[in-house]
Every structure is written in C-alpha cells, then in structure tokens.
Amino acid sequence: MNAGPHPGRRPGPDQAAADVRAAGRLVSAHYPEATGAVLGGSAARGRSTPGSDLDITVLLPDGGVRRRELLRHDGRLAEVFLNSRSDLRTAFAESRTTRRATALFLFADSIVLLDPDGQVETLRHEAKALLAAGPDPLTGPERDAGRALLTDLVDDLTDTGPHSDPHEQLAVADRVLREAAELLTAHHRTWNGAGKWLPRRLRAADPDLGRRLLDGHLVLARHADPTALTDSAVRVLNLTGGTLREGYIER
C-alpha cells in the first residue's frame, strides 16, 4: 500500500535498506511471539518512498489469531498481516478461487526479516509456485454469471451519453471496467487486482484489450462518451462466449 508520493525524494538503495531496518525493528517491538516475518509491497521491490507504508506479513505460532493491523512505529506507518502457517496456506488456496493473489504476491515478492527455522522460506517457495501456476479456470456457471452481469452493465452504459447524469454514468462505467477486467483476467487465467492493481493486472493479462478498456474508461471520464468503453467490453464478452440476456438462469 502507499500513503502517497513524497515530493522531491526518489527510492534508492539507502531507502530500501532503511525500510528493511524499520520493518525489522517493528516486528521485534510489537510481535515478540513471531516465528517468521517478511517485508513485501513496494519496499520489497525497491520502489518505496519515505511516505510509503510498510507491508509486513508476520508468521504466528499455531493457534495465533489471524488479523490485519495498522500501526505506526518510529514514524513509519505499517500494514501488518498476521497468520499462522495454516492460516497463510488457507489464504494462498483462497487466492486461486478469488483470483486476487494479495497474500501470494506479498509473500512471494518479499524480503525475509525473520526465519529462524526455515518456515518462511518454505512458504515463499510455495507462494511462488502457486503464482506461476495461475488462478483456477472459470467454471461454466462462473463464466455465465460474469457474462450476464457484464451484458446488463453494458446495456446500461450504452443508454448514457453527454447529457446523462454524470455521476450515474461514471458509476456504471467504473463497474463495467471492474467486471470486464475480472472476466478478461479470468479468461486468460491471470491474476486480477483492485485499486491501482486493476490496471496493472489488466495490462499484464491482455496488453491490447486491457489498454482499450482503460483508455475507453478514460475517454468516458473526460468526455462523457461511452462508445470506446462499451465496444471494448463487448470484445471481452465475445471472447468469453458473447452477450447473455434471455434464457440465463442464476442458481
């Protein structure tokens, strides 16, 4: 996560080293029971700024309470995910069906802070293997549900234009982009994302159609013209079986 850019400062090796030291001090001070810990997110990729928060995953002993905490230590804001080994493996497995791999990415693309008995390194290897394998394929009912929902949203968006209520149009457009991204990434068996990760994952899944969706959304936001976004969403529907209206039954 990121608390916002820090004007005039760019990430570098000194910042990366400072992040690791700060994260290590935080874990020692707040989680003495930890059996392992990693630093993930932008800090692990060497892309943080002094204004970035720290994404830390802490491994708890068996029976520890799974939770997420936001705290500040030595002036640095941190988002801490606490899990036992079984909890973390459950989160890894859930990622395959939800197709959002936050826990996998945080653990696989990480810097080890604490690993006295090798548990963390074992879990990092598992996370990397699951990321490489990709999410589960769409089931038939999942695909049809996604097609029916996106078809309905595209119909709503097609009915808007420059003279429509701009708030309603933007709300529908945001939902069209999100549902089209979920269907397209799932079609390609690649990972989906939310927030800033939605465009990143979308472009990675399908550079051409992903860009068309994002550009269409931008055109609508700037000019209230839904044409490019609806056309791109229909392309997604055609890839995944076409529009779905009459005859669809949700069970």
Side-chain angles (χ1 to χ4, degrees):
M1 305 298 172
N2 195 302
H6 189 86
R9 302 283 293 277
R10 293 188 177 184
D14 291 344
Q15 181 62 48
D19 289 340
V20 172
R21 290 193 298 270
R25 290 194 299 268
L26 184 150
V27 171
S28 296
H30 291 271
Y31 308 106
E33 77 279 22
T35 60
V38 298
L39 174 63
S42 59
R45 297 190 302 275
R47 296 175 58 186
S48 73
T49 70
S52 299
D53 63 5
L54 300 171
D55 294 306
I56 301 170
T57 302
V58 171
L59 199 61
L60 297 172
D62 292 343
V65 178
R66 182 181 184 181
R67 61 196 188 275
R68 169 179 170 265
E69 296 183 351
L70 299 176
L71 54 88
R72 191 176 295 275
H73 183 81
D74 289 345
R76 293 298 299 275
L77 184 66
E79 185 173 15
V80 186
F81 303 88
L82 298 106
N83 301 269
S84 67
R85 281 182 299 178
S86 61
D87 287 335
L88 199 57
R89 286 187 168 118
T90 297
F92 287 176
E94 289 170 350
S95 295
R96 296 199 64 187
T97 55
T98 64
R99 302 180 182 89
R100 291 190 183 176
T102 303
L104 288 175
F105 279 105
L106 283 175
F107 223 84
D109 300 335
S110 66
I111 295 172
V112 176
L113 300 171
L114 175 68
D115 190 18
D117 57 9
Q119 296 180 56
V120 167
E121 198 57 45
T122 297
L123 288 163
R124 287 178 78 238
H125 283 300
E126 291 178 17
K128 289 178 180 180
L130 287 168
L131 278 179
D136 289 346
L138 279 172
T139 64
E142 286 176 331
R143 186 181 301 274
D144 287 348
R147 289 169 55 209
L149 176 55
L150 185 55
T151 299
D152 184 55
L153 290 167
V154 166
D155 288 345
D156 286 344
L157 191 60
T158 302
D159 289 337
T160 70
H163 303 295
S164 301
D165 182 308
H167 303 105
E168 292 181 4
Q169 186 187 49
L170 279 171
V172 175
D174 289 348
R175 189 73 187 278
V176 167
L177 177 62
R178 188 176 70 191
E179 297 300 332
E182 290 201 5
L183 196 54
L184 184 59
T185 53
H187 172 74
H188 289 299
R189 286 197 65 187
T190 58
W191 301 103
N192 193 15
K196 66 185 179 183
W197 288 102
L198 186 150
R200 296 177 187 182
R201 302 281 185 239
L202 187 52
R203 285 191 292 259
D206 193 318
D208 177 56
L209 189 47
R211 178 184 55 78
R212 289 175 183 271
L213 284 165
L214 293 168
D215 288 349
H217 185 263
L218 194 59
V219 167
L220 182 143
R222 289 175 173 171
H223 305 293
D225 182 357
T227 306
L229 181 56
T230 54
D231 287 350
S232 299
V234 169
R235 286 174 179 250
V236 174
L237 286 166
N238 289 338
L239 266 181
T240 55
T243 56
L244 184 57
R245 296 183 182 88
E246 299 87 357
Y248 173 64
I249 300 174
E250 183 178 359
R251 293 185 171 89

